[in-house]
Amino acid sequence: MKICVVYGGPLGEQMINNMAVRGYGDKIVNVYELKPETIEEEYPSETNIWSKIWENPEEYIPKNLPMVECDLLLVLGIHSKLGDLIPPITERLKVKAVLYPIDDRATAPEAKKSIEEELKTRGIHVEFPEPFCVLEKSENELINEFAKKFGRPKFEIKLDENKKVLKEINVIRDTPCGSASCVSKKLVNFPYNDKEALLKKIYDEHHNEGNENYCLAEMDPHYPLMQEAGDLLKDAIFEACGFPTTKDIILKRISEAKEINIKELEEIIVGKPGDWKNPDKACDANRTFYLYIDELVTEGKIVKVDDKLKLA
């Protein structure tokens, strides 16, 4: 598989570096930083250039973009106005599939729907994982191959049951930003019998700017992408340790209640941000809660009728 990357800013740089050092260096055949300044410098006399790009994007592909054919195009953190250039770029590079993650609303393409439709008419599969580390599998062969190595974190963990510490941690699937592998190093020999301390350690290290790789997703109480990413990391670690995950706790609560209002369950499972002293709390973001509800419905473990949930 040959991968091309079009990126913008530190988020893209961190992801490219992480993929390169974790076994994809030979698969990345082209890296290009796509910046608004590049377009403006190439067309200094153009007025209303962004409207013109929207109307005729194929005419504004940067002249210095290397024409290297690839199978999978990664679009990482580019300016929202530059998304219109992606369909004609895919045609130039003979791309077969596109991963266009959204880790920050500021970089979400302004014309997401039209970009998706345009790529579809060209026979190119596209996905917009939000955040990137929610990616686990795909119906597309190329994206599925990528997701074996990067996406939703997955670990193998050995516990030292005498010392009550995490003894060995093997990263099966890293987050694209590398936060999963970075956090795993900080958890070796960390005690697991104090769940509150373990939870705090995981979340703190997940977005610790002092780490080599940390989560760069948007952190907003109204759109908690970073918090959701932290939840996915925590649950991956807990699953590998054999501890109850958020999904397990959701199923337990529904089983105990027989039938429960979804909003009532959300208040129990999500609770207040960071309040891990609350024994009923299982995740930090409501986005995570609803992601898991949808997955449990798809897995056939629960059913949702109107605003109520019960076991299948």
Side-chain angles (χ1 to χ4, degrees), residues 117-276:
E117 291 174 350
E118 179 64 24
L119 289 171
K120 187 176 180 180
T121 61
R122 297 170 188 255
I124 299 170
H125 182 86
V126 61
E127 294 182 19
F128 299 89
E130 186 178 343
F132 201 174
C133 57
V134 79
L135 178 68
E136 187 172 17
K137 55 187 176 181
S138 171
E139 63 185 38
N140 179 268
E141 183 180 346
L142 291 166
I143 293 177
N144 209 38
E145 183 66 25
F146 177 86
K148 290 178 182 178
K149 189 76 173 177
F150 301 101
R152 194 155 166 174
K154 186 176 181 180
F155 304 89
E156 284 181 351
I157 297 178
K158 291 183 180 179
L159 305 179
D160 186 326
E161 297 185 2
N162 292 321
K163 296 181 180 179
K164 304 297 182 185
V165 298
L166 306 179
K167 184 179 180 180
E168 295 179 17
I169 305 177
N170 182 29
V171 181
I172 304 300
R173 179 168 53 221
D174 198 3
T175 50
C177 67
S179 62
S181 57
C182 191
V183 171
S184 70
K185 296 175 185 176
K186 299 294 186 81
L187 292 177
V188 175
N189 293 321
F190 193 87
Y192 64 77
N193 53 336
D194 184 343
K195 292 297 191 297
E196 184 186 339
L198 177 58
L199 285 163
K200 187 175 188 306
K201 180 68 172 176
I202 292 169
Y203 282 95
D204 285 350
E205 295 295 349
H206 173 250
H207 55 264
N208 181 358
E209 295 183 11
N211 289 339
E212 182 180 3
N213 289 59
Y214 59 93
C215 182
L216 293 172
E218 179 176 1
M219 187 176 185
D220 186 316
H222 302 295
Y223 210 76
L225 293 178
M226 180 182 284
Q227 295 91 323
E228 181 181 4
D231 289 334
L232 294 172
L233 177 62
K234 181 272 289 185
D235 278 320
I237 292 168
F238 270 43
E239 181 178 13
C241 290
F243 303 155
T245 65
T246 302
K247 276 187 174 183
D248 294 328
I249 296 169
I250 288 173
L251 289 171
K252 183 174 180 289
R253 292 295 181 184
I254 295 174
S255 176
E256 291 171 346
K258 307 300 182 188
E259 184 178 82
I260 188 168
N261 181 280
I262 192 167
K263 280 292 183 184
E264 180 184 342
L265 183 60
E266 178 187 355
E267 290 177 5
I268 294 170
I269 298 298
V270 181
K272 295 180 180 179
D275 182 20
W276 294 110

Side-chain angles (χ1 to χ4, degrees), residues 3 16-30 150:
I3 298 174
I16 293 164
N17 290 338
N18 185 56
M19 287 184 284
V21 300
R22 291 192 64 81
Y24 266 36
D26 61 337
K27 297 182 187 297
I28 300 173
V29 297
N30 183 23
F150 301 101

Side-chain angles (χ1 to χ4, degrees), residues 39 41 60 68 74 113 115 119 147 161 170 204 207 247 250 289 301 305:
I39 311 297
E41 288 169 5
Y60 293 90
V68 180
L74 302 183
K113 187 174 181 181
I115 292 169
L119 289 171
E161 297 185 2
N170 182 29
D204 285 350
H207 55 264
K247 276 187 174 183
I250 288 173
F289 171 77
K301 294 180 179 178
V305 180

